[in-house]
C-alpha cells in the first residue's frame, strides 16, 4: 500500500495533523528526523488509522503515491529550508511539498520559485487553530499553484474545520506566498483581538473595580452576544482560573510580560512596506514589547499619574456596557485594517485574493474564529469590491451606535491613567478616515518649506513649490 499523504516533522502540530488525516481515512506516511518520535506516534495512535512509518527520507518518499504530497511541519526559517533541501532531490515533477509552518511569505515566494524550476509544486500553507485545531479541524490557508489545489484541496477540505453552515474552512488563497501572507495577517489580527480584550479586562478591573472572577462572568455574557468568539470564551476561562498553590487568581501570579514569535511583528513590518495603516495591530505588537521591558518599567514606576477615582457599583455596570461597545467598535477597526493589508498584498503581488473567501474560512477552526466573521462574510457577499469594512452599511451603523460609548471609555482610560493603546488607536483611525481635512496639508507645507518637496493644490492640477526663502511666490514644480 502507499500513502496519499506524508507528514515530516512530528512535534505536536505535525503529529496532530498526521492523526487528523489518518482519522479521516487517509493512509499517512510519517517521518521525523529522530525516529523515536515516529515510533511513539504509531505506538500511541496507530489505532486511529493507517500510518506508514518511515525511518529515512528515501523510505518516506517511496511510501507516497504519485503525485506525492509531502507536508513539512518543522520550525519556520532555516529548519524548513534544510528539510526542503533534503527532500527535493528525491522528488519528481508534479510532486508537492506543502509547508504547514508559520513561514514568512517572502520565504515561501522564494521557495516556490526555486522548486518550480524543478517542476515541484510548493504549497505554503497557513494552519491555524493550535494543537486542538490541527487534530480536530484547523482553518487552512494554502497558497501555491492552482493545479496543486485540485489534487490537495479535497483532502484539506476533509480535515479542516467546518463553519456552522457546514462549509469547510479552507480555500485556495492564491499563488505562491498568498496563503502564508493571509496566515500572517490572521495572526496580526489575533494580536489585536487579544490586546483589545486585555484592555477591556484592565478597564473593568482598574476603573470599574471588578475582580477577575467577576470579569470572567462579564466576558461569558459578552460571549453570548455579538462578541461571541473563541478568544472571549478562553479569556473567561483564564480569568476564572484560580492558582492552586496560592489560591490567588491565576492572572495575578503570571509574569506580565507578553512574548511573541514574530508573525504579529511581520504583519506590521509588511504593512509599513505596503503603506497600509494597521495602527491597531501595531499597538498590539508594541504593547507586548513594552510589557517585556522589565527594567524600563521598574525605572518608571514612580512616574506621576492621575488620582484614580474608582467607580461606584451602579456606575461600574454601566461602564462595563460601554466597554463592550468600545471593544466591539475597536474590533471592527482592527479587522478593517487587517483586510486592507490583505487587499494591498494581493494587489502588490498579483494574488487576486477573495476577501469574502478569507473571512469565510476564518469562521471556524482558527484562533480568531467568531460570529463576527459571519458578518464580514456577509459584507463581502453584499459587495465583493467593498473599499473597506467600514464602508459596509451594517458596520458603519454599528460603529455609529457605539461611538459615544467608545469615546467615553477612552476618555475614562485617559483620565484614570489606564493605558488603552488599542482602543485609542482604533478610534484615532476611525476619526482620521472620517475627517474632512487632515493636518497632512500642514505636513506638506512643512516639507515644502524645508526641502522643496512640493505639494498639490485643492483647486488646480500639478505640483507646486512656494519660494519660502524668497518672495513667497508660488511656482509650478
Ligand atoms: C494559530 C496561532 C499560532 C500560534 C501563534 C502564537 O493561528 O493557531 O496563531 O500560529 O499559536 O503564532 O503566536 P505568538 O507566539 O507570536 O503569540
Amino acid at each position: 500500500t502507499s500513502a496519499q499523504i506524508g507528514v515530516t516533522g512530528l512535534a505536536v502540530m505535525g503529529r496532530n495533523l498526521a492523526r487528523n488525516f489518518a482519522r479521516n481515512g487517509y493512509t499517512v506516511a510519517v517521518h521525523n528526523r529522530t525516529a523515536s518520535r515516529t515510533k511513539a506516534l504509531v505506538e500511541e495512535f496507530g489505532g486511529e488509522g493507517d500510518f506508514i512509518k518511515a525511518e529515512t527520507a528515501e523510505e518516506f518518499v517511496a511510501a507516497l503515491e504519485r503525485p506525492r504530497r509531502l507536508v513539512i511541519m518543522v520550525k519556520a526559517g532555516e529548519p524548513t529550508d534544510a528539510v526542503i533541501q533534503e527532500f527535493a532531490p528525491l522528488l519528481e515533477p508534479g510532486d508537492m511539498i506543502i509547508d504547514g509552518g508559520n513561514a514568512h511569505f517572502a520565504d515561501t515566494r522564494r521557495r516556490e520559485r526555486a522548486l518550480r524550476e524543478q517542476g515541484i509544486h510548493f504549497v505554503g500553507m497557513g494552519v491555524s487553530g493550535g494543537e486542538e485545531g490541527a487534530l480536530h479541524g484547523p482553518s487552512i490557508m494554502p497558497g501555491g499553484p492552482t493545479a496543486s489545489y485540485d489534487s490537495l484541496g479535497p483532502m484539506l477540505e476533509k480535515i479542516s474545520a467546518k463553519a456552522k453552515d457546514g462549509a469547510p474552512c479552507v480555500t485556495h488563497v492564491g499563488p505562491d506566498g498568498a496563503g502564508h501572507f493571509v496566515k500572517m495577517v490572521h495572526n496580526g489580527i489575533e494580536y489585536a483581538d487579544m490586546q483589545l480584550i486585555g484592555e477591556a479586562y484592565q478597564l473593568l478591573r482598574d476603573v470599574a473595580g471588578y475582580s477577575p472572577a467577576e470579569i470572567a462572568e462579564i466576558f461569558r455574557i459578552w460571549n453570548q452576544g455579538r462578541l461571541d468568539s473563541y478568544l472571549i470564551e478562553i479569556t473567561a476561562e483564564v480569568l476564572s482560573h484560580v492558582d492552586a498553590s496560592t489560591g490567588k487568581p491565576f492572572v495575578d501570579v503570571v509574569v506580565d510580560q507578553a512574548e511573541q514569535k514574530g508573525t504579529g511583528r511581520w504583519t506590521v513590518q509588511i504593512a509599513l512596506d505596503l503603506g497600509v495603516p494597521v495602527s491597531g495591530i501595531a499597538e498590539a505588537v508594541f504593547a507586548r514589547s513594552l510589557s517585556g521591558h522589565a527594567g524600563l518599567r521598574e525605572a518608571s514606576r514612580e512616574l506621576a499619574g492621575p488620582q484614580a477615582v474608582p467607580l461606584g457599583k451602579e456606575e461600574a455596570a454601566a461602564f462595563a456596557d460601554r466597554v463592550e461597545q468600545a471593544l466591539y467598535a475597536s474590533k471592527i477597526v482592527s479587522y478593517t485594517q487587517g483586510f486592507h493589508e490583505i487587499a494591498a498584498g494581493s494587489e502588490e503581488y498579483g494574488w487576486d485574493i477573495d476577501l469574502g473567501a478569507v473571512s469565510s474560512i476564518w469562521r471556524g477552526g482558527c484562533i480568531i474564529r467568531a460570529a463576527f466573521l459571519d458578518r464580514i462574510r456577509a459584507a463581502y457577499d453584499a459587495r465583493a469590491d467593498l473599499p473597506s469594512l467600514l464602508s459596509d452599511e451594517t458596520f458603519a451603523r454599528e460603529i455609529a451606535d457605539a461611538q459615544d460609548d467608545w469615546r467615553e471609555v477612552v476618555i475614562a482610560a485617559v483620565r484614570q491613567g489606564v493605558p488603552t493603546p488599542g482602543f485609542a488607536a482604533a478610534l484615532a483611525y476611525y476619526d482620521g478616515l472620517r475627517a474632512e481635512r487632515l493636518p497632512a496639508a500642514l505636513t506638506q507645507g512643512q516639507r515644502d518649506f524645508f526641502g522643496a518637496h512640493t505639494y498639490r493644490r485643492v483647486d488646480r492640477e500639478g505640483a507646486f513649490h512656494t519660494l519660502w526663502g524668497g518672495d513667497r511666490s508660488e511656482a509650478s514644480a
Side-chain angles (χ1 to χ4, degrees), residues 102 128-130 183 186-187 190-191 260-263 288 367:
N102 266 333
S128 177
K183 175 66 200 327
H186 164 283
N187 281 26
E190 170 186 308
Y191 277 47
Q260 49 182 319
K261 288 197 284 288
T263 44
R288 287 195 191 191
I367 304 295

Side-chain angles (χ1 to χ4, degrees), residues 188 191-192 264 267-268 272 277-288 337 421 425:
Y191 277 47
T267 307
V268 178
L272 290 171
V278 293
S279 46
I281 299 170
E283 289 295 354
V285 176
F286 284 138
R288 287 195 191 191
Q337 296 181 345

Side-chain angles (χ1 to χ4, degrees), residues 161-206:
K162 309 294 178 287
K164 285 213 177 78
D165 63 4
C169 293
V170 55
T171 188
H172 180 239
V173 177
D176 60 81
H180 274 139
F181 187 95
V182 164
K183 175 66 200 327
M184 173 189 78
V185 176
H186 164 283
N187 281 26
I189 294 174
E190 170 186 308
Y191 277 47
D193 264 343
M194 291 167 72
Q195 173 64 21
L196 296 174
I197 292 171
E199 292 178 15
Y201 153 74
Q202 187 89 31
L203 288 166
L204 292 173
R205 195 147 186 200
D206 293 353

Side-chain angles (χ1 to χ4, degrees), residues 440-441 443-449 452-468 472-477:
T443 306
Q444 285 297 82
Q446 294 162 329
R447 292 177 69 247
D448 191 58
F449 190 105
H453 293 299
T454 77
Y455 51 87
R456 287 177 294 131
R457 294 183 55 99
V458 295
D459 53 358
R460 263 178 283 146
E461 286 293 307
F464 300 91
H465 168 55
T466 289
L467 300 169
W468 296 102
R472 305 216 163 171
S473 62
E474 186 175 76
S476 255

Side-chain angles (χ1 to χ4, degrees), residues 57 72 78-91 97 110-111 115 118:
I72 56 185
E78 272 170 34
T80 302
D81 281 315
V83 172
I84 292 172
Q85 267 161 34
E86 183 181 3
F87 285 100
L90 307 175
L91 299 179
I97 296 182
R110 165 176 62 76
R111 291 168 184 147
L115 289 167
Q118 296 175 48

